[in-house]
Amino acid sequence: MKVKLLTAVLASALLATAPSVTLAQTRPAAATAQPSAAGRTVLDASTRIINALQTRRAEFRANPAALRSFIDGELSRGFDRDYAARLVLGVHGRGAADADVKLFADAMADNLMSRYGSALLDIQGRPSFRYKSEQPLPGNRGVKVSTELVRAGSEPTPVEYLMRNVDGQWKIFDVMIEGISYVQTFKNQFDAPLRQKSIKQVATELRSGSIQANAGPAAPRGK
């Protein structure tokens, strides 16, 4: 389930502006503060994406290229993909050319969508995102927007978006589902390949499919 949730959130947000279906009923004003511009960006995006996935399901199933084009547009619109890629690369990305980082970011997104894209169309019912709270990130790096993914018959799933302001626009650079970080998951996964190969080589292997991006939780190093 976490694989499908992570893929859905990445596509919907992205991971920042996310899916489009009807927003869940918000809690009383006394319990929930009103979202800021960053929080509103998350809710609007989530709603837009979920709605499109539901209303265009038949079209997307028949035409995977249309689904990919839609997700690419959402990612470009609300997800700071290159910055997230630098965080995933970590020490391996220090001093790396922007072109190589972009190559890695695009290759990882392509690999994920080729493997998990169809899972976005398998979301049942009418899920929605409910705003909970916001708090500033350390070092004035941006804000963390806390939400819940609400689905009929299931307990709400905590989803947190880490966002930063880029030229006046709030963009997501990490998503945490039940405490599991998108950035940390892939940072753990790609550490070993990047110790042995260049960023460009790893990106090329991601493109070819010889290395697969695994959207499931990564085990901590050393375990």
Side-chain angles (χ1 to χ4, degrees):
M1 179 57 71
K2 283 190 177 68
V3 171
K4 291 185 179 181
L5 285 176
L6 179 54
T7 308
V9 172
L10 290 180
S12 26
L14 300 143
L15 257 74
T17 65
S20 175
V21 99
T22 305
L23 284 175
Q25 291 297 314
T26 56
R27 293 173 179 170
T32 304
Q34 291 300 307
S36 69
R40 195 69 242 171
T41 294
V42 166
L43 292 178
D44 289 348
S46 310
T47 304
R48 181 179 61 252
I49 293 174
I50 287 178
N51 266 343
L53 292 174
Q54 300 248 334
T55 60
R56 300 175 64 185
R57 191 190 307 253
E59 173 196 351
F60 287 154
R61 284 196 188 282
N63 186 357
L67 172 62
R68 180 53 200 266
S69 177
F70 169 72
I71 296 302
D72 274 347
E74 291 297 332
L75 288 173
S76 297
R77 183 175 183 172
F79 188 54
D80 198 342
R81 187 155 56 180
D82 291 355
Y83 181 69
R86 281 202 177 272
L87 295 178
V88 170
L89 290 168
V91 295
H92 308 293
R94 290 178 183 172
D98 289 344
D100 286 346
V101 174
K102 183 178 185 338
L103 191 68
F104 176 80
D106 291 346
M108 188 166 67
D110 287 345
N111 190 279
L112 283 168
M113 282 305 301
S114 67
R115 299 185 67 207
Y116 300 116
S118 61
L120 295 170
L121 303 177
D122 294 334
I123 301 173
Q124 299 301 311
R126 294 184 66 80
S128 58
F129 281 86
R130 178 165 57 205
Y131 175 84
K132 291 183 64 181
S133 64
E134 293 177 34
Q135 65 183 78
L137 294 174
N140 198 31
R141 293 191 303 134
V143 299
K144 178 172 71 175
V145 178
S146 298
T147 71
E148 290 178 331
L149 175 60
V150 182
R151 295 165 295 154
S154 300
E155 288 294 317
T157 301
V159 182
E160 298 173 318
Y161 297 85
L162 274 58
M163 307 180 69
R164 69 181 194 137
N165 193 303
V166 181
D167 298 328
Q169 180 181 356
W170 285 100
K171 291 198 170 189
I172 295 167
F173 64 87
D174 195 7
V175 179
M176 300 176 69
I177 300 175
E178 294 184 338
I180 298 173
S181 162
Y182 154 83
V183 164
Q184 191 60 51
T185 293
F186 291 116
K187 186 174 183 178
N188 291 344
Q189 181 182 346
F190 288 109
D191 180 62
L194 288 166
R195 287 179 182 275
Q196 303 167 8
K197 304 168 187 176
S198 69
I199 294 173
K200 189 175 294 185
Q201 286 176 306
V202 172
T204 299
E205 293 184 12
L206 273 168
R207 288 275 190 193
S208 69
S210 58
I211 292 180
Q212 297 287 356
N214 179 10
R221 289 178 58 190
K223 295 187 178 181

